[in-house]
Amino acid sequence: MARSFIPFLFLLAMPQILWALPGGWGGVIVAGVRDPLETSAADSGNLVTETSFSLYRQFELSEKVSFRITGRIAGNREEARRSFNLTNSVSLGGAMRYTSGCCGVFSAGIQYAWEEEVSTGATETGLKAGFDHGIYKKIAGEWTSPRVFSGWSNIRFPGALAGTAEDWVAQGRYELSQGFEVRPLGAAPSVFGGVGGTLDREGLSFNNKFVLDAGGRLSWKIKSASISLDARVIRDRRFLSDELFVGPQFRLGLRLPF
């Protein structure tokens, strides 16, 4: 099992190659480890890794409007070895972006994607359209103890090129966090509460849910890299199947822009 995680370690070396990008170019590495993926019984003790590397070229059309071309490589692995969550993907596409001073970034675009289920060897290619929103906004407090509203949401058509998400899927999560001035272990601590959910047209139980969570976070800043360690309790209400799952989740995350 350990060997399945090794191919994604090369992503950590990519910034050394691409650091000195010309104007308009940029990229980001995002990696995370979660245990479990969700609080359902099927995910008990299921360690999951999610890794992506994105490289983009942005064209500024006005003060608030831009067009971005993005290439992305991503992969998921999990101990439960379910085919839908043992995946590799590569995509290339473009999106129009609108940046609002109060409300974050809105974008709409299309991409051509290649997706592979590692365990079965099945591959699919095709076009995917999407609408996205992202926000990170300090709303109160000093930077040593900020109160921050942040989150993301999107809708994809199709949600995946194969498997159980061939129709549209909408998902998102937003949170309010409060930081503190104390610095245990050299980290910036905070507490947070979040709300999120997923909808799809197919009526899949795990894709139609409302989620609440609350917990604590330690964050480290190392040059341009951000590292976070979260512990939270999640309440996962799946309203089509009338199921409720409540339990803890731990996540270690890395974000490295360049």
Side-chain angles (χ1 to χ4, degrees), residues 60 65 70 101 205 228 239:
E60 303 294 340
V65 179
T70 302
S205 173
S228 62
F239 44 84

Side-chain angles (χ1 to χ4, degrees), residues 16 35 51-52 59 62 69 73 93 131 148-149 165 168 175 187 218:
Q16 306 303 319
D35 186 13
T51 312
S52 69
F59 302 89
S62 70
I69 299 173
I73 303 171
F131 300 90
V148 175
F149 177 72
W168 62 261
E175 75 168 40
L218 294 175

Side-chain angles (χ1 to χ4, degrees), residues 166-184:
E166 296 178 346
D167 222 318
W168 62 261
V169 175
Q171 57 186 339
R173 178 183 176 274
Y174 293 88
E175 75 168 40
L176 183 65
S177 65
Q178 175 63 57
F180 300 96
E181 292 189 9
V182 295
R183 290 291 182 269

Side-chain angles (χ1 to χ4, degrees), residues 1-12 30-35 45-52 74-82 85-88 118 252:
M1 180 62 185
R3 289 183 299 174
S4 65
F5 293 93
I6 293 175
F8 302 101
L9 296 178
F10 85 96
L11 295 176
L12 300 178
V30 178
V33 179
R34 287 191 283 176
D35 186 13
N46 183 25
L47 181 70
V48 177
T49 67
E50 302 161 312
T51 312
S52 69
N76 293 347
R77 296 292 185 270
E78 65 167 24
E79 287 187 329
R81 299 192 62 79
R82 295 169 297 186
N85 213 29
L86 291 171
T87 61
N88 297 324
V118 176
L252 177 65

